[in-house]
Amino acid sequence: MRYVSFRRPDGTPSFGRLDGETIVELATDATPSLKAALTDGSLATLPDGASFAAADIVLLPVIPDPAKILCVGLNYAEHVKETGREQKAHPAIFVRYADSLVADGQPMVKPAVTDRFDYEGELAIVIGKAAHKVAAADAWSYVAGYAAFNDGSARDWQRHNIQFTPGKTFPGTGGFGPALVTTDEIEDVSALRVQTRLNGEVVQDQPVSDMIWDIPTVIEYVSAFTPLSPGDVIATGTPGGVGDKRNPPLYMKAGDKVEVTIGAVGTLTNRIIDEQ
């Protein structure tokens, strides 16, 4: 199944099941959001409601209000190599805020204070049930599904000090979508490729299997230090090829189109606009 969060034509936030170019609404008074449906375990049993043409609604980020958005840094060897960093024994983890993300088809906002706005195509996972101190061997049972993610980064702000956070959380700088694709839709997620295109040119292209720390390992590590809740998001890291490490550097600017495609998970598409 593929699930989306969206605004109805009247502007009301809702969620539903994506059937081709039609969205079947699943929201109820008791379960008004996709996160709520994951939390109460009702997602697979909710009755069909109204139907909307995809062209008549506005998508929201897959989970508009996750309690936690955790991102894995330096999780592909090619990316570690291009940054000149030493590979560590444990994953690098940083956070984003919910207001830093926009939906598929919505513009990503280049902050006015940077000219080094970079793309990072990634596979994101959405947690499906409460997870704390999860063993890697059990981790897949906690994953509700997948989506594409663009960890848009203001590289200069990212490097003001040793922390990444300031460069990762400007409002509207990241993309998350288009849909939550449930795990049963993807036979082998590690066989998929993370591909990023900037204005039609492929700038990143690596298989998920190239991750240094695979998804179960990441869940084990993250859930060891923080409890995870349904709807929480983990962005699993970007491949090599980021614009900041190219010669000459390749940064995103207003008018650019950036696409992140991850096989059957789908394509996340965003235009770049300047901050107003």
Side-chain angles (χ1 to χ4, degrees):
M1 295 292 183
R2 295 170 186 263
Y3 299 97
V4 294
S5 298
F6 65 96
R7 289 192 184 278
R8 299 173 188 154
D10 65 5
T12 305
S14 188
F15 80 100
R17 185 180 68 250
L18 184 61
D19 289 343
E21 294 300 313
T22 299
I23 294 169
V24 179
E25 188 173 37
L26 298 174
T28 67
D29 290 342
T31 310
S33 68
L34 182 50
K35 185 172 79 170
L38 292 172
T39 299
D40 68 15
S42 65
L43 186 57
T45 59
L46 289 169
D48 290 357
S51 293
F52 300 97
D56 293 336
I57 59 87
V58 174
L59 288 176
L60 296 171
V62 176
I63 305 292
D65 58 342
K68 295 174 182 175
I69 305 167
L70 297 132
C71 304
V72 185
L74 304 168
N75 199 18
Y76 287 78
E78 285 298 314
H79 184 44
V80 176
K81 180 180 178 181
E82 70 184 357
T83 63
R85 292 173 178 266
E86 176 187 353
Q87 184 173 316
K88 302 292 187 179
H90 302 289
I93 305 295
F94 59 93
V95 300
R96 291 190 73 116
Y97 305 136
D99 67 357
S100 74
L101 299 180
V102 299
D104 177 57
Q106 301 303 304
M108 288 170 53
V109 181
K110 177 188 147 329
V113 295
T114 186
D115 288 318
R116 298 174 62 186
F117 188 36
D118 205 354
Y119 53 83
E120 288 195 8
E122 308 195 11
L123 173 70
I125 61 172
V126 176
I127 297 299
K129 60 183 181 181
H132 191 203
K133 300 180 180 178
V134 173
D138 302 322
W140 283 116
S141 67
Y142 293 85
V143 179
Y146 314 104
F149 198 91
N150 190 337
D151 184 31
S153 305
R155 294 299 189 192
D156 42 359
W157 282 75
Q158 180 182 339
R159 300 195 181 99
H160 280 176
N161 208 308
I162 59 173
Q163 79 284 344
F164 288 0
T165 302
K168 298 287 190 174
T169 56
F170 282 89
T173 52
F176 181 29
L180 173 68
V181 180
T182 54
T183 54
D184 58 352
E185 289 278 314
I186 309 295
E187 183 175 352
D188 180 9
V189 72
S190 68
L192 303 182
R193 302 187 74 88
V194 178
Q195 298 176 316
T196 306
R197 295 184 299 279
L198 185 62
N199 299 322
E201 177 187 353
V202 176
V203 289
Q204 293 181 295
D205 185 4
Q206 276 188 261
V208 172
S209 59
D210 279 2
M211 284 182 185
I212 298 168
W213 294 283
D214 63 12
I215 290 169
T217 301
V218 168
I219 291 173
E220 180 179 66
Y221 183 77
V222 168
S223 71
F225 71 81
T226 187
L228 301 174
S229 300
D232 284 354
V233 179
I234 301 176
T236 58
T238 199
V242 298
D244 191 57
K245 297 305 177 182
R246 291 174 174 264
N247 187 16
L250 179 64
Y251 298 118
M252 298 186 293
K253 61 186 184 304
D256 285 350
K257 178 182 179 182
V258 59
E259 300 163 283
V260 179
T261 298
I262 309 177
V265 172
T267 297
L268 167 69
T269 302
N270 303 97
R271 293 278 184 179
I272 308 302
I273 62 170
D274 283 330
E275 181 184 12
Q276 301 299 310

